Structure formats: C-alpha cells, structure tokens
Amino acid sequence: MFSLISRPRSSVATPHDTFGLIDSLFSDWWSARPTSSLVSRARLDVAERNGAYEVRADLPGAKKDAIEVEIDGACVSISAKAESRSEKKDGETVLYSERTQESFARSFELPQAVDPEAASAKFEDGVLTLTLPKKDAPKTSKGVQIQ
C-alpha cells in the first residue's frame, strides 16, 4: 500500500528488519479497513456555455436546506447531507426499520475564476445545477522594458 520511508519492499519481513515489521503492521491495518467511505463523492458534469460554467452534481436524497456551495476564485466546493427515515403509522407494528444518513462532498478547480456574486443554483429531482459566470480578466496590458 504505502511505506513510511522510501525503500525496496520485501514480501516477508524478518525479525531483524524493523522497518519491514512496521511496514507490514501498517499494510495489514490499511488492507483490513472497510472500503466504504464516510463521505461520498458527488457525481459531477461540468460544461462551458455562453461564458459560464454549468456544473451538475447528483445529490440523491439531499434536501435543499442541507446543501452548501462555496466559491473561492476558481475553486468550488459542494457539500450536502441526506437522511431517510421511515415513519410509524397508527396501529402499525414495526418489525424491521432502516435509516440511512449519507454525506456528499466534492471540491474542484475550474480553468478560470468565476464571479460568485453572479452565480446561481437550482436543485431539482436530486440534481444541483450551478451556473457560474466566468470572471472577466483585466483587459489592461503593460509593456515590459528589457534591461
């Protein structure tokens, strides 16, 4: 998986190979961890249209109030939480019930800075659509004197 120091890996650590024992300890620990993440990566589509970037992020189960979008220059961060719970109805006996909680997060950098004041967002059917107008680059040019 990874080594604490850069050195050739051997398949079996010997008792005199302290670093090999440490490496095998961490390799065993990392490989035994579950593969599921606590935070899911939101699936994205990014397109460029009419001087703006259009970002579509799949956030299934999220509510509009639980979504946050941050823009810093060309960097965009999206995070959301989704919860689902079953409700018990009167006269009903619950034999089995499941609840799910999921967090989504995604940060990415666009090729050009965007104008956060002109940005807009729409959330419909589990899909967040961001329209991020590009920030106008300064149109001044300056000659440089060569010495």
Side-chain angles (χ1 to χ4, degrees):
M1 184 110 187
F2 71 93
S3 283
L4 296 175
I5 59 173
S6 183
R7 65 176 187 78
R9 290 183 61 126
S10 64
S11 59
V12 178
T14 64
H16 300 293
D17 182 12
T18 307
F19 292 112
L21 289 172
I22 292 171
D23 281 350
S24 66
L25 170 72
F26 281 99
S27 293
D28 292 345
W29 183 74
W30 280 106
S31 63
R33 292 184 56 189
T35 57
S36 65
S37 173
L38 297 175
V39 178
S40 298
R41 289 175 51 123
R43 304 288 184 232
L44 295 180
D45 294 325
V46 181
E48 189 174 353
R49 291 188 183 98
N50 304 324
Y53 297 108
E54 185 177 290
V55 179
R56 294 173 48 91
D58 292 342
L59 305 171
K63 301 262 190 275
K64 185 168 76 168
D65 300 342
I67 300 172
E68 292 183 17
V69 177
E70 293 183 26
I71 300 170
D72 183 14
C75 295
V76 179
S77 297
I78 301 170
S79 61
K81 291 186 179 185
E83 267 187 29
S84 69
R85 297 182 182 271
S86 60
E87 294 181 18
K88 184 178 178 181
K89 297 181 175 95
D90 289 336
E92 181 178 60
T93 302
V94 176
L95 300 176
Y96 183 77
S97 175
E98 287 187 349
R99 291 157 297 290
T100 60
Q101 294 181 342
E102 189 170 10
S103 294
F104 298 95
R106 193 70 186 263
S107 292
F108 54 95
E109 187 169 348
L110 295 166
Q112 185 177 337
V114 297
D115 184 2
E117 301 301 319
S120 65
K122 182 174 88 169
F123 185 66
E124 188 175 6
D125 296 330
V127 178
L128 174 69
T129 303
L130 302 175
T131 303
L132 307 171
K134 295 179 185 178
K135 196 176 253 185
D136 291 331
K139 297 188 182 192
T140 60
S141 61
K142 176 185 170 187
V144 177
Q145 183 179 7
I146 300 173
Q147 296 180 354

